[in-house]
Amino acid sequence: KTNESNKNWKLIITDMKKKSITWKRILYILIPLLLVATIAIRLKTNKNATQQKVYQYNKEQAINVQAQTIKLESIDAVYFYTGTFEPNKETKLSAEVQGKINAIYVDAGSNVKKGQALIKLDDALLNQQLNTVNVQIQNITSEVEIQLQANQIQINGLEDDVRRYKILVAADAIQGIQLEKAELQLQTAKNQRSTIMQKSSLKNAQALRASIIAQLNKTTVYAPFNGVVTAKLSEVGAFASPGIPLLQVTDISQLRFTVTVPENDLKLFDYKNSYEIIADAAPEIKLQGKTSLIGSKANVGNSFPVQFTVNNVSNLTIKSGMFGKLNLRNDTPEQGIVIPAAVIVGSESQPQVYLVKNGKTILQNITISKKFENKVAVSAGLKEGDVIVTNGFINLFEGANVLIKN
């Protein structure tokens, strides 16, 4: 009985251990699931609370805007075109030969005259070569002079023989063949003299000398025109070679002024007339520009470049890169559509405005023909009676419901 009782207790204990392990496994699974569920519920509750606090925009709700009905207006006959002054002549100077820079005689901002020496390259090697060639030429010349003197003596003797033989032949004292031999020898001596004078070694030395002198002349960089040094791109000791810029020289005594003009305004310009141009930095100075270019190809904004040549004032007050305006008055009044520049949306190449039709907005492409201080003239895209939005662009989009409140 005692043994049976012990066995029963062992079975009970074993069974309890198995149940304990099973419950632990269940808890290991249930606890993480409960935590995940709790977090999910919490997050959903927070999301709902946040969404309730955030403003939900109703796209169907009408937007309050201000609008303007298009009417034909008299377009101001005074035109203003903004442009930029550019130098008439500007170049970057480089050396024509290779060499180390020994000296730079100017600095940025220096005034220079045409033909003025600006940069000097190392010419020691070229001078040495020139001296060597000069010695060669001197030696060859001395040798040639000696040969020419000997040849001249020979020619003089032969000429005397020819004269004497002619007298003797005339007197029938000698045969004519002796005269012919003397004349042939004289001709041969004269041909020899020409050969001596055209000696190839002398010609080659002279050609080499001319080449070295040309290279020596190129070791100095000269100013190509009157102007100002606007950039110093190298320093003494640097190595110069063809194609590497060393200095930039700009001539602003005469300037180019370029504006962009709408296609409808091209007819206002020709090559015969002069036009008044005023620099923004010096409005008291009125310049006269002569048309030098009327563009034949439009840019991305469908405008054409028109360029003018302008003589600068004596103290060169107008600088390259300054902005200016061209004032043009047209004596023929025009009627057209004028809208505020602030109502334009879109881009420079494709301007647009918001039209209002049946209480909804429509994005309408337009073509700008003229620009004023704060207005523009529209040549296409709008007609008389159209209604455009002038204020209230916040949250405005194409197809939006609008309520006009002026």
Side-chain angles (χ1 to χ4, degrees), residues 82-98:
T82 300
T84 307
F85 290 97
E86 298 173 316
N88 186 49
K89 290 188 288 187
E90 184 175 63
T91 186
K92 290 182 179 179
L93 303 178
S94 59
E96 296 184 63
V97 294
Q98 294 183 346

Side-chain angles (χ1 to χ4, degrees), residues 150-250:
N151 178 258
Q152 187 62 46
I153 293 172
Q154 184 183 10
I155 290 174
N156 292 339
L158 290 171
E159 286 177 344
D160 291 340
D161 290 344
V162 169
R163 285 194 296 270
R164 185 171 62 255
Y165 287 159
K166 283 182 179 180
I167 297 173
L168 294 174
V169 168
D172 291 330
I174 61 172
Q175 296 180 353
I177 191 170
Q178 290 180 296
L179 175 60
E180 292 176 1
K181 287 182 179 179
E183 289 177 340
L184 181 59
Q185 291 175 352
L186 176 60
Q187 186 61 44
T188 302
K190 289 182 177 180
N191 292 340
Q192 187 180 8
R193 182 176 184 84
S194 299
T195 303
I196 294 171
M197 293 181 66
Q198 296 178 1
K199 194 168 184 179
S200 60
S201 58
L202 178 61
K203 282 193 170 184
N204 291 339
Q206 290 173 338
L208 181 58
R209 181 176 183 274
S211 174
I212 294 173
I213 291 175
Q215 291 185 64
L216 278 170
N217 291 335
K218 293 178 180 179
T219 58
T220 302
V221 179
Y222 299 94
F225 47 78
N226 297 343
V228 179
V229 177
T230 50
K232 184 179 179 183
L233 307 174
S234 189
E235 295 293 341
V236 173
F239 188 80
S241 62
I244 298 179
L246 305 176
L247 293 174
Q248 179 174 276
V249 178
T250 305

Side-chain angles (χ1 to χ4, degrees), residues 284-352:
E284 71 281 0
I285 301 175
K286 295 183 179 180
L287 305 169
Q288 292 297 313
K290 186 73 174 177
T291 308
S292 58
L293 169 69
I294 298 177
S296 301
K297 183 179 180 181
N299 57 24
V300 291
N302 204 34
S303 297
F304 292 80
V306 179
Q307 194 172 90
F308 306 88
T309 302
V310 182
N311 290 324
N312 207 339
V313 292
S314 58
N315 59 353
L316 305 180
T317 301
I318 312 303
K319 309 297 184 184
S320 173
M322 284 185 174
F323 293 100
K325 290 185 179 65
L326 183 143
N327 300 328
L328 181 64
R329 181 174 295 277
N330 186 7
D331 296 331
T332 304
E334 298 179 8
Q335 290 287 317
I337 295 174
V338 179
I339 62 174
V343 307
I344 297 174
V345 295
S347 62
E348 180 72 20
S349 59
Q350 185 53 75
Q352 298 173 310

